[in-house]
Amino acid sequence: MKRSGLFKLSLAALAVATSFTAAAGISIVDNETGSFSIGGDVEFDFNYQDNDQADTLNTENKDSNYNQTGRILIEFAGERKTENGHYLAVKAQPLMDSNGDVNLDDAYFSFGKQGGWDLRMGRFEAYDMFPVGQDTFLEYSGDTANDLYRDGAGYVYQMKEARGRATSAGQLMYSQSFDNLYVELAGVIGERADLFGTNTEGDGVTYHGREVISNKDAIVVRPVVAYQMGDFRIAGAIEANLVKDAVIDDAGNDLSDRIGYGITANYTVNDLSVNANVAYLDALNEKDTSVGLNVLWKGFGLGYIYGVNDFDAKSDFYDGKVKIDTFYASYEFANVLDVEDFSIYLGAFHTSLNEEGTRLNDGAMFSELDDKGARVRFKYFF
């Protein structure tokens, strides 16, 4: 039968498929040349959060709230295999939020050789250089986006600036495995002013109090090397922008001149998993360091993350350090009601931010913060 498309399925193709299953909400067509599957997960949260903070005028502002959030992810995945061990693969993951928004997690096309090399393009996440373990509820004081820089907020740098899933920029990644050695070279290509998020006073985008301007398309590369030694794995990575003046401020300073370094290690044996992470960013008049440690054992998760932002007086923004301490914990009730892949998670966090420096202007500055929260999460993979 002549194929008019890579993953087009006909009634004849279904009839000759070696297996066809439709159980637990998943449909799979699988034969000697390829497969097509539909799956996903459901995740709904009931949250309590208590934010104790001061605004830019140092007026006390306490905000406690209860809410319910969640989303449904649908995954479409297809793969075509050849006799010599090569493959082509496609994945798309539409994401429907409970607030009515429709988003997208992964959407990529890849090809390579089984157990060897892979070339991937589209929207996805590269190697995780700062795994946080069982993250049921984890936020950081002053930074509601977690992985985006925001003026007037603490920035817990986690080697994510070139990891992927950028707003409008595309992504390309080559990876290959050599027995216990894994190498990866990923790149984010396109507009990256969105990396700086928004400031704390409105919709404007600023860095050290100055307006952020997208001047050119950036090329941010991120090589990773990982090695597995029995139950222990270690990885190192660098991420850096190759295009000068890709993002500038209203004074012409090159904000895209940023380079980050990271090391992560994992030890897993039986029911115990331990992650240790270190990340360091050298940016314009600012150096950020983050250290994290988390443990998962028999459904219990416990973690701690320490972040410090060290500002140079040349920034004309802040002179000194801002420190963020974050503790988080969780527990998983697995296979609830004897239903496989249905779990209920309990999670909580506490985070605080403290200034150890001098404010250099009257713009949006840091404030001492003390935030905490708790969550009940219902999650089902189908």
Side-chain angles (χ1 to χ4, degrees), residues 46-50 63-69 374:
F46 292 87
N47 313 306
Y48 167 75
Q49 193 162 352
D50 187 351
D63 181 19
S64 299
N65 62 77
Y66 302 87
N67 61 25
Q68 184 258 308
T69 56

Side-chain angles (χ1 to χ4, degrees), residues 148-220:
L148 297 179
Y149 181 95
R150 294 179 67 224
D151 259 358
Y155 182 41
V156 180
Y157 176 66
Q158 297 182 5
M159 282 290 296
K160 291 183 178 180
E161 294 190 357
R163 191 184 176 202
R165 290 184 182 168
T167 302
S168 60
Q171 190 173 1
L172 182 67
M173 183 180 77
Y174 178 86
S175 61
Q176 188 163 1
S177 298
F178 305 90
D179 294 326
N180 294 333
L181 179 67
Y182 171 81
V183 295
E184 173 184 292
L185 178 61
V188 174
I189 305 169
E191 194 271 328
R192 288 318 323 268
D194 57 355
L195 173 67
F196 297 93
T198 60
N199 63 24
T200 55
E201 292 190 322
D203 296 329
V205 179
T206 62
Y207 181 79
H208 293 176
R210 295 186 177 275
E211 181 185 358
V212 173
I213 301 171
S214 179
N215 191 46
K216 304 175 185 176
D217 286 338
I219 301 176
V220 191

Side-chain angles (χ1 to χ4, degrees), residues 278-290:
V278 179
Y280 173 79
L281 174 68
D282 187 355
L284 177 67
N285 300 322
E286 178 180 351
K287 293 178 173 57
D288 303 325
T289 304
S290 302

